[in-house]
Amino acid sequence: MTASDITRRALAPLAVGGMAAGLEACQPKPGGDVQPRSRQFPPGFKWGVATAAYQTEGSLTADGRGPTIWDTFSAGGAHIADHSTAAVCTDSYHRYPEDVALIAGAGLKAYRFSIAWSRIVPDGAGPANEKGLDFYSRLVDEQLKAGVEPYATLFHWDLPQALQDKGGWLNRDTTARFADYAAIVGEKLGDRLKNFITLNEAAVHCVIGHVLGIHAPGLKGAANIGPVTHHQNLAQGLAIQALRAGHADLKIGATLALQPCRPTGGLPWNKLASGGLDALWNKAYLDPLLKGSYPKSMEANLKGVLKDGDLKITKQPVDFMGVNYYAPTYLGLDLTSESHIAPGKPPKGVELDAFGRHIDPSGLAETLAWLRTDYGNPRVIITENGCSDPISQTAPAIQNDSFRINYIRRHLEAVRAAMEAGSPIDGYFVWSIIDNWEWDSGFSSKFGLVSQAGPGGVRAPKASYAWLKALAQSGLLPTHE
Ligand code: IFM
């Protein structure tokens, strides 16, 4: 889920402080492909895939796992397009050796997975659950044995329900609980697990889960923006400190859903709307981490939330920035909506993928240029990029997925071009290895390189799996699929 989904489906009721937030407008950029001079990726470039615990593991009560906000939100299939739940998913809690074999079998050298907080600290606070830690220990060892480098995300939206009961991300105490949990994971696994990603797409969790109510915990209201944004940033800073205190040699990064926010049409006031979303979606996470500040337009949201000294904690050295990119979004000014921001039409002729997202690799080039020019050019890993089959509750996965190959190929052209422009990009991870449970879309959206016939069913590599395998072997990006 990205901001383009917000604009399409639900932006109108989003209150973000209105036009005041819109003064930092991002500039429109022409859409389209970006051609690199060379199509050869360097040796050592990390080709990988990404998943998340809640979308893959299933086994929601196994080995002492505590309930999470997603268990509550999706109970009985509520709020989910196909009324499914994540009870089984790809059954990766049991089938992880097969997952790893598929990854290694494609010649991929990196696997980004997430750790379920409530498997480690079932009640959100208190002693560690050894059985939960053992599961991730086995998963890490399986990867190392197969020559795959593990990248663990500590939080991919599955907050322990016990913490939500105390206010979740609205409660400042959650930040300390996250640091405690990070310390436990670092202590147990940090001898072998060297790559950590703090939070996944904090903006999505904030806006879709706490403002629009489409994701767990299903809260609504613009008043949540300030506390949820800042507490996630603060938690991240504390967790980075805790991890580094345990093991000095860890490589730690943050993964953001970076997304160009473009004004619709030529009217100048639409820049106010696009700038408003840019501030709270992109800059409200990049700035505290990399600059130790917030964009000015966030000030009103942060009143009473931001405390003295916090920005010294949010600003931490990171070893890489994780960029998740899917599409840009278009916005316009709408005085009839509470936020004054409304979804806008993209320029004529813009391509859409089957999920309804724009296909626009220039947006990826643009986000990578921000990091180069405005944020000190940190090392980067593309921690997610990919596309879905057409949304369908009944259609089987498309095995001959040339549209996915085409999407990945065109975005890799933008990655390679950004490297030529000076971006230090170390890797590219496709979302995702196997079709999994896509949050509020359930199983009706399929992003995998491999299909699975229903929860727990037979797995079959798609055409894109073989294509990525050939690319990972040669490093040479083909000119067509
Ligand atoms: O499935 C999600 C993932 O959890 C976060 N980033 C976007 C993916 C596809 O929508």
Side-chain angles (χ1 to χ4, degrees):
M1 169 78 61
T2 70
S4 62
D5 299 287
I6 302 177
T7 57
R8 225 180 35 249
R9 291 159 50 179
L11 190 63
L14 171 61
V16 294
M19 284 171 60
L23 297 171
E24 293 160 57
C26 46
Q27 297 303 311
K29 292 279 190 310
D33 293 313
V34 184
Q35 288 305 326
R37 289 190 301 278
S38 160
R39 306 183 77 84
Q40 181 66 52
F41 282 80
F45 188 82
K46 292 172 211 262
W47 300 99
V49 283
T51 65
Y54 202 78
Q55 296 176 266
T56 56
E57 286 176 359
S59 301
L60 300 181
T61 54
D63 295 333
R65 176 190 181 277
T68 72
I69 55 174
W70 272 97
D71 302 333
T72 309
F73 185 72
S74 64
H79 303 114
I80 309 303
D82 61 358
H83 310 293
S84 62
T85 72
V88 182
C89 294
T90 54
D91 195 16
S92 291
Y93 196 71
H94 299 110
R95 297 180 72 174
Y96 70 89
E98 280 178 66
D99 297 357
V100 173
L102 274 169
I103 294 165
L108 304 176
K109 295 281 182 251
Y111 178 28
R112 172 181 174 230
F113 61 99
S114 84
I115 295 180
W117 186 344
S118 78
R119 289 198 194 277
I120 309 301
V121 191
D123 296 328
N129 172 28
E130 286 302 325
K131 286 189 170 168
L133 281 166
D134 288 346
F135 167 67
Y136 292 106
S137 185
R138 291 194 298 275
L139 175 56
V140 165
D141 287 345
E142 189 74 25
Q143 292 175 64
L144 296 176
K145 203 169 69 188
V148 173
E149 202 179 346
Y151 282 75
T153 308
L154 285 171
F155 180 67
H156 198 124
W157 307 345
D158 44 358
L159 191 80
Q161 182 61 43
L163 292 181
Q164 189 63 42
D165 294 343
K166 295 182 183 145
W169 290 112
L170 294 169
N171 180 353
R172 191 177 167 97
D173 183 61
T174 298
T175 65
R177 302 289 70 79
F178 185 63
D180 292 347
Y181 151 62
I184 293 170
V185 175
E187 190 184 318
K188 171 82 178 190
L189 303 178
D191 58 334
R192 289 153 292 145
L193 173 59
K194 296 297 178 189
N195 305 296
F196 280 86
I197 292 167
T198 50
L199 307 174
N200 176 73
E201 300 182 352
V204 177
H205 189 51
C206 175
V207 174
I208 313 284
H210 295 78
V211 179
L212 301 176
I214 296 169
H215 278 188
L219 301 182
K220 291 186 182 166
N224 297 334
I225 289 175
V228 174
T229 299
H230 182 59
H231 292 152
Q232 289 189 91
N233 285 326
L234 188 63
Q236 169 169 272
L238 292 169
I240 294 174
Q241 289 176 337
L243 286 169
R244 292 209 194 285
H247 288 269
D249 64 341
L250 302 181
K251 301 274 180 250
I252 307 175
T255 278
L256 299 178
L258 294 184
Q259 181 163 50
C261 303
R262 298 173 177 169
T264 185
L267 300 172
W269 46 82
N270 289 337
K271 282 190 184 175
L272 297 174
S274 60
L277 193 68
D278 179 43
L280 72 88
W281 190 271
N282 298 309
K283 295 188 173 114
Y285 300 93
L286 284 167
D287 291 12
L289 176 62
L290 299 175
K291 296 182 173 172
S293 61
Y294 273 103
K296 211 161 170 30
S297 57
M298 282 293 288
E299 270 172 17
N301 293 307
L302 293 169
K303 257 205 190 106
V305 173
L306 181 63
K307 308 269 188 232
D308 281 355
D310 282 2
L311 290 170
K312 287 207 173 69
I313 299 171
T314 62
K315 181 170 189 264
Q316 294 293 325
V318 282
D319 298 291
F320 61 91
M321 283 304 298
V323 173
N324 289 1
Y325 175 81
Y326 291 89
T329 188
Y330 290 85
L331 302 134
L333 186 68
D334 175 6
L335 293 177
T336 64
S337 87
E338 201 185 347
S339 62
H340 296 173
I341 299 176
K345 280 198 183 131
K348 271 204 187 106
V350 147
E351 276 180 271
L352 298 181
D353 73 7
F355 197 70
R357 289 172 172 164
H358 309 152
I359 302 181
D360 188 347
S362 78
L364 177 54
E366 188 180 337
T367 63
L368 294 168
W370 299 339
L371 292 173
R372 261 196 326 272
T373 56
D374 301 348
Y375 292 98
N377 204 16
R379 302 207 75 78
V380 168
I381 296 175
I382 309 301
T383 40
E384 282 183 31
N385 180 234
C387 68
S388 168
D389 286 14
I391 299 274
S392 165
Q393 298 186 14
T394 49
I398 300 172
Q399 292 297 131
N400 191 7
D401 55 345
S402 51
F403 62 93
R404 180 168 292 110
I405 296 173
N406 194 35
Y407 180 98
I408 294 173
R409 179 181 57 73
R410 291 167 66 187
H411 285 80
L412 278 167
E413 287 169 351
V415 171
R416 187 71 195 101
M419 292 166 82
E420 289 171 347
S423 291
I425 303 176
D426 294 329
Y428 173 92
F429 302 171
V430 173
W431 184 273
S432 184
I433 179 69
I434 302 166
D435 293 338
N436 60 40
W437 194 76
E438 176 62 22
W439 308 111
D440 56 311
S441 300
F443 296 109
S444 61
S445 168
K446 301 177 180 67
F447 277 85
L449 302 171
V450 175
S451 63
Q452 178 164 313
V458 171
R459 294 167 170 187
K462 304 177 187 175
S464 54
Y465 177 88
W467 182 88
L468 190 66
K469 179 174 179 171
L471 174 57
Q473 273 162 0
S474 69
L476 184 62
L477 183 62
T479 49
H480 51 82
E481 37 296 342

